[in-house]
Amino acid sequence: MHIGEYPKAGKFGEYGGQFVPEVLMHALKELEDAYLLYGKDEQFKEELDFYLRTFAGRPTPLYFCARLSELLGTKLYLKREDLVHGGAHKLNNTIGQALLAKRMGKRRIIAETGAGQHGLATAIAGASFGLKTEIYMGEEDIERQRLNVFRMRLLGAEVHPVGSGSRTLKDAINEAIRDWVTNVQDTHYLLGSVVGPHPYPMMVRDFQRVIGIETKEQILETERRLPDALVACVGGGSNSIGLFYDFLDDEEVALYGVEAGGEGISSSRHSATLYAGTKGVLHGTYSYLLQDEDGQILPTHSIAPGLDYSGVGPEHAFLKDMGRVTYDIVTDREALHAFELLCKYEGILPALESAHAVAYVARLVEVEEIGSDDVVVVCLSGRGDKDVEIIERALHEQNP
Amino acid sequence: MSRIRDTFLELERSGECAFIAYMMAGDPDPSLTPPIATAIARYADVIELGIPFSDPIADGKTIQTASERALKAGMRPDKIFELIAAIRKETDIPIVVMSYYNPILHFGIERFMKRLAEGGDGIIIPDLPIEEADDVVWYAKENGIDTIFLIAPTTPEERIEQICAYSSGFVYLVSLLGVTGARETISGVVKTLIKSVVEKRQDIPPAVGFGISKPEHVQEIVKSGAKGVIVGSAIVELIAKHKAKPEVLIPALEEFCAALKAATRR
């Protein structure tokens, strides 16, 4: 089988699967059937395309960063997912799943959110398609992403604070699963990343593929050739798989997934699941995890709430083992520095998550993996308005 | 052969339903698990020991907090075998372990089943559907451990049969759509579910769990034709309530379990 043809029977090699309570097995089957049916349906595809163009604002531009390219010493392009309605790539997936939920006759959608970007995108989709929307969000994330909480509420979504465990994304997913177990008959769980049980990793990837499909067209038009490298941040892994997927067969294109190194691997305050984790089952899927010697899931840290997760999508685990994608880390400090560079040199305020990917380009140049004639595309997965409070605090700590 | 099977057969002969009592191992402290389990075992027919997990997606608040208490008190997956050995010295009733999949996977499935066989009788893994369970069933069988799978109100008819085929000892019927936790009333769907399993399979007894917290609930389940009834959160709540005072806890547990057991007699 060829690398892009997975999943096969719900698995990417040994990864993926469905490790969920029996109550949900039937719902997953229904969802898979509906997705396979409508995913091929011309009318569904047209409708999705219509909303992506006229509502989400696609296609997003591929922007050449002239000043930053000069500074770094490479040809840097940004795929501007930050310009998607809502401020992140997340809406590509939520529109797709909300349309699917309507086709399935579900009246209520629920979602987890870390940074609040997926919650926001779900709230937007819920409002525009008339679906009752409830969002689970860890209390710690609610504190550090207040702007997004307020936005979600303005859009009519109910936001439930989650106070259990580490009070972040992992615990929000637990609570969303518990809600789904209880309300499975009228509720669609609109999962926001390429994680969770099959068919989510496949379905969310497919809805995010548009990033890579557009990038390929755009770069061929401007550069008349494929890029030398693609770089994207990896939390659960949806923007990165979306960018990478249509380049998997183009062996001349190097692919880099950047995880949150937090305060450094040795500090154990990080979210570097693929880089430093081990295999196991979390939230319905077999993949890499951050876990202790007893198989208990470890709390994570990142300055970027959207990367602050102990699991990662099973397809990334597969691509890591196959050696097709290189997964590496960028620390909080490096990400902050990249954030400032992008602000000052390009007039773009990136999400802290996406700043990790920008920071990694500087590293690739430094170690001479890429040079001045090389073309690099970074997925700028979101905009940074949501992060200004965190950044203000962090910069103050650096230079009190 | 199987201690669980023998227990169900014996109870069937005496016209009783099995009372299966759940408790979280290590809650409030591992040292208290053997005395608590022994007290429960005076009235229960089967004891179910939970292994705490950081992310218990099938559990409601009561068992979540018990899980957190146990982890804080230093409960670890390998400690379960010592605790089972200590409980085994005091009682002959079947001991079933309930654990999420990741701690077992991490420990090693084969190694886990070998150790479990030292004094335990069965395994329940609430986030492991039959599609992913071949290794678990294989190593469990090899070590004489019964594998108990769950059937939910959403499980389609033809799947019920497949799940029964993967199960041994008993099969666990989830009484409602939702997570574990005491409820005021028993949902109606469970009666249809019991009937469906009993009609399909004479060879595997259905036991009903989730939401059952009172002797009246137990009676209702018994009348519906179930062969076993599982009470978890209500017991865990009682343990939480008296966790600081073992001298109050033990008699309170005995009283509660005696009432639940009495309700299983037809």
Side-chain angles (χ1 to χ4, degrees), chain A residues 156-302:
Chain A
E158 207 175 317
V159 180
H160 300 291
V162 176
S164 56
S166 57
R167 303 157 68 238
T168 59
L169 180 57
K170 158 178 98 69
D171 312 283
I173 297 179
N174 290 342
E175 219 41 53
I177 294 175
R178 289 179 189 122
D179 180 316
W180 200 30
V181 164
T182 311
N183 301 296
V184 63
Q185 276 155 332
D186 73 335
T187 298
H188 172 64
Y189 179 16
L190 209 160
L191 192 51
S193 192
V194 288
V195 299
H198 179 70
Y200 285 104
M202 169 182 77
M203 181 173 69
V204 177
R205 174 198 73 195
D206 291 352
F207 286 138
Q208 293 294 0
R209 270 180 67 180
V210 63
I211 304 173
I213 293 171
E214 286 177 10
T215 299
K216 203 171 203 174
E217 268 181 37
Q218 290 165 324
I219 200 75
L220 285 174
E221 198 174 306
T222 47
E223 289 285 337
R224 307 274 161 208
R225 67 179 181 94
L226 290 174
D228 298 287
L230 301 180
V231 184
C233 64
V234 180
S238 71
N239 89 81
S240 49
I241 206 83
L243 176 66
F244 296 164
Y245 191 71
D246 281 74
F247 291 90
L248 287 177
D249 289 334
D250 302 314
E251 279 166 30
E252 66 270 39
V253 183
L255 307 176
Y256 298 95
V258 185
E259 294 191 301
E263 295 171 10
I265 297 298
S266 57
S267 73
S268 34
R269 283 179 51 76
H270 61 80
S271 309
T273 314
L274 290 159
Y275 185 84
T278 50
K279 298 172 190 180
V281 167
L282 174 66
H283 295 144
T285 192
Y286 182 66
S287 185
Y288 281 86
L289 309 176
L290 293 171
Q291 57 186 331
D292 70 9
E293 68 274 21
D294 289 340
Q296 308 288 351
I297 310 307
L298 289 169
T300 52
H301 162 80
S302 169

Side-chain angles (χ1 to χ4, degrees), chain B residues 6-120:
Chain B
D6 291 348
T7 300
F8 273 92
L9 285 174
E10 212 171 287
L11 289 166
E12 182 75 25
R13 275 195 292 271
S14 57
E16 287 171 47
C17 184
F19 164 38
I20 302 163
Y22 171 95
M23 63 179 284
M24 176 63 74
D27 172 36
D29 190 89
S31 66
L32 286 172
T33 296
I36 291 174
T38 307
I40 292 173
R42 280 181 203 121
Y43 301 95
D45 300 301
V46 176
I47 193 145
E48 201 184 305
L49 282 178
I51 294 181
F53 182 51
S54 53
D55 296 81
I57 51 171
D59 286 303
K61 268 277 163 300
T62 304
I63 294 180
Q64 284 175 44
T65 46
S67 205
E68 282 170 22
R69 279 195 300 273
L71 286 172
K72 248 186 217 137
M75 183 61 205
R76 305 188 50 180
D78 57 352
K79 218 175 232 175
I80 195 82
F81 309 113
E82 289 165 43
L83 296 178
I84 291 173
I87 299 164
R88 207 18 103 224
K89 280 183 196 151
E90 307 293 329
T91 177
D92 283 331
I93 71 167
I95 300 172
V96 173
V97 165
M98 185 163 193
S99 171
Y100 285 87
Y101 190 41
N102 200 52
I104 295 177
L105 191 64
H106 205 73
F107 192 87
I109 298 169
E110 183 178 11
R111 186 169 152 235
F112 189 93
M113 296 306 164
K114 269 200 177 119
R115 297 284 315 269
L116 182 56
E118 288 164 19

Side-chain angles (χ1 to χ4, degrees), chain A residues 346-363:
Chain A
E346 296 294 344
I348 295 170
L349 218 136
L352 279 169
E353 290 78 9
S354 323
H356 282 72
V358 176
Y360 196 67
V361 175
R363 175 103 57 83

